[in-house]
Amino acid sequence: MVEITNYKIEDMEAKFLLTIAIAKRAREITDDIVLKGDIVEEKPVNLAIKDFNKGKFKISQ
């Protein structure tokens, strides 16, 4: 399992926003994989979580 380390999640709205952001990023990753015809061993959701942990993407309201 991949853990989200860079975010302190205390309220339900923040958890919801993070979930939506990761889902959107995972869909972007999936679309890119399909367009390129790549084969990826790791699930897009795990890759999206890693992107957020590395600080590549931020959540803004």
Side-chain angles (χ1 to χ4, degrees), residues 8-15:
K8 288 189 176 183
I9 303 174
E10 296 179 5
D11 63 7
M12 200 55 128
E13 184 177 346
K15 289 179 186 179

Side-chain angles (χ1 to χ4, degrees), residues 2-7 48-56:
V2 179
E3 291 184 21
I4 301 168
T5 57
N6 291 343
Y7 293 93
I49 291 170
K50 287 181 180 181
D51 283 349
F52 278 93
N53 280 339
K54 291 178 183 175
K56 290 182 180 179

